[in-house]
Amino acid sequence: MKTPEILEYLIGFDTTSRLSNLALIDWVEDYLGGFGISGTRVFSPEQDKANFFASIGPPVPGGVVLSGHTDVVPVDGQSWDSDPFQIAEKDAKLFGRGTSDMKGFLACCLAAVPHMHALRRPIHLALSYDEEVGCTGVSSMVAKIVRDLPPIEAVIIGEPTNMQLITGHKGIAAFETKVIGVPAHSSQTQLGASAVMIAADLISFLKTQAAALQAPEHLNDAFDPPFTTLTVNQINGGTAINILAEHCRFLWDIRSLPGTHAADIEAAFAQHCAHYEAQSPHAIAIKTNAFANAPGLEVRSKNAAEDLVRRLSGANQSSMVAFATEAGFFQAAGYDTVVFGPGNIAQAHQPNEFISIAQLQACDAFLAKLISHLS
């Protein structure tokens, strides 16, 4: 099958992160089985999702990992001109949820499998789950790859980069803070403590922290924006206008430059919260839970993955990006890693998401060179 045909199958599976991806994994496993290739599933704790990796070629050192995530973001509330889970072609573009982010890359990889019959070094296909909710699935697969596979030369994460070489990106950490106040009639504020008002104070502290991260000594002009960002993006609480709120919850995230540790910012916030609780005349409680933590991709002076992609693609420059990927997990495991794939990140998560056929063709051509290089 050609890349667009495989992409049509992949888009047909609604793998929104809140749903299972097992039907897609079943299809991929059956497809590879047709070429005599078996793979390994690494299930989620609930067993309703799975990572999957498969090796093509001899079990020797020096292979290359081609990795991408299977989940997509929701289409809820978005206005689409076509069914987001059916491919629609128009003006040399293929429309559908996940076309660009990032089933287009997966389709290219799967379409290349029939041409991998003469490999002297292996290609390892690695598909993850739950990237879109904080890269929470991939770490278990990376750990098993480290245990089960021979030494690997390079890892290529096929996120949409317009087939441009990315050698560094920010990390992401996401948090949920819950505030428990003391309810009372809003005319009797001395008798209680509004969780919403407490949350406002805590958010003000985070705003101060965010401003400090923009100090000149923290800037890295290779990124846009050139500083670590900290933002509160969702908040809810309270039950009525005349009751001091007993509960408030807000979500916040940190997009950290490589070398900046979100844990340090979280620790400073935790210390502030503990002080706030201790100073309150009421029995309030503040609890913060980290539900996502993906490391950034650090630029390395020696990177075999960068050298490989430069040699095969002809790229003479590389860039850094603000968005996070699963690349940091592979790098932290000791693998030379880059981000390089078809499609435009500007299309990611958007209504009428698309990938150009030209981008798919460029990825197909690159993979053909990779196969030749390893054969």
Side-chain angles (χ1 to χ4, degrees):
M1 287 189 285
K2 301 295 185 182
T3 297
E5 184 180 359
I6 293 176
L7 181 56
E8 184 171 9
Y9 277 103
L10 298 182
I11 297 302
F13 295 104
D14 181 355
T15 53
T16 303
S17 301
R18 61 174 175 254
L19 304 175
S20 173
N21 72 334
L22 293 182
L24 183 148
I25 297 298
D26 288 343
W27 188 91
V28 170
E29 205 164 25
D30 288 345
Y31 172 82
L32 294 177
F35 300 98
I37 301 165
S38 60
T40 300
R41 296 190 184 203
V42 184
F43 283 94
S44 66
E46 297 80 13
Q47 302 287 304
D48 61 339
K49 300 178 183 180
N51 301 300
F52 176 81
F53 67 92
S55 299
I56 303 105
V60 299
V64 174
V65 172
L66 302 175
S67 184
H69 61 84
T70 60
D71 61 316
V72 298
V73 297
V75 298
D76 306 43
Q78 294 185 340
S79 178
W80 284 71
D81 296 333
S82 59
D83 185 336
F85 298 106
Q86 289 186 7
I87 285 288
E89 182 176 352
K90 182 180 180 182
D91 298 330
K93 301 171 183 175
L94 299 177
F95 292 80
R97 172 57 84 225
T99 48
S100 187
D101 184 21
M102 57 177 296
K103 292 179 178 179
F105 176 73
L106 298 180
C108 291
C109 294
L110 293 171
V113 168
H115 307 292
M116 298 181 185
H117 54 83
L119 292 173
R120 292 177 180 269
R121 288 184 286 157
I123 288 177
H124 311 285
L125 302 181
L127 285 65
S128 68
Y129 70 87
D130 279 3
E131 189 271 352
E132 296 290 7
V133 289
C135 302
T136 57
V138 70
S139 58
S140 60
M141 178 172 64
V142 172
K144 191 160 181 61
I145 286 174
V146 171
R147 291 194 303 267
D148 293 359
L149 298 186
I152 290 165
E153 177 189 7
V155 175
I156 300 172
I157 309 296
E159 289 278 3
T161 68
N162 282 320
M163 297 299 289
Q164 301 299 309
L165 178 60
I166 302 301
T167 55
H169 66 62
K170 292 183 177 181
I172 180 174
F175 305 91
E176 175 190 59
T177 296
K178 292 182 178 179
V179 180
I180 301 174
V182 178
H185 193 283
S186 62
S187 68
Q188 299 292 303
T189 56
Q190 76 280 7
L191 301 179
S194 167
V196 171
M197 296 287 281
I198 296 169
D201 286 342
L202 300 181
I203 292 171
S204 179
F205 174 81
L206 290 176
K207 184 178 179 181
T208 300
Q209 295 294 102
L213 293 169
Q214 299 181 36
E217 62 268 24
H218 299 314
L219 301 185
N220 185 334
D221 290 334
F223 291 88
D224 183 19
F227 47 83
T228 294
T229 60
L230 190 167
T231 57
V232 177
N233 302 312
Q234 186 176 344
I235 184 169
N236 54 69
T239 55
I241 186 63
N242 58 353
I243 302 175
L244 299 185
E246 183 175 10
H247 299 281
C248 188
R249 165 183 175 267
F250 60 92
L251 304 182
W252 51 289
D253 76 7
I254 301 168
R255 304 281 179 149
S256 54
L257 292 169
T260 299
H261 302 292
D264 294 338
I265 301 170
E266 180 188 10
F269 180 67
Q271 184 177 11
H272 176 76
C273 291
H275 179 74
Y276 197 103
E277 287 177 318
Q279 294 297 311
S280 175
H282 302 285
I284 66 170
I286 304 167
K287 300 177 181 179
T288 296
N289 173 57
F291 61 88
N293 190 2
L297 178 65
E298 297 186 13
V299 177
R300 301 283 172 83
S301 58
K302 294 183 178 180
N303 186 337
E306 178 183 358
D307 294 341
L308 177 65
V309 172
R310 283 183 182 275
R311 183 162 62 250
L312 299 181
S313 69
N316 56 16
Q317 63 181 12
S318 61
S319 303
M320 275 69 82
V321 292
F323 62 84
T325 79
E326 295 170 334
F329 289 95
F330 285 94
Q331 187 181 67
Y335 296 129
D336 286 358
T337 306
V338 296
V339 185
F340 181 76
N344 191 326
I345 194 64
Q347 287 301 314
H349 307 180
Q350 299 299 310
N352 297 319
E353 178 184 351
F354 69 84
I355 192 168
S356 71
I357 293 174
Q359 281 284 298
L360 294 176
Q361 291 171 338
C363 187
D364 288 338
F366 171 80
L367 293 176
K369 292 180 180 179
L370 176 63
I371 293 167
S372 177
H373 171 74
L374 298 173
S375 295

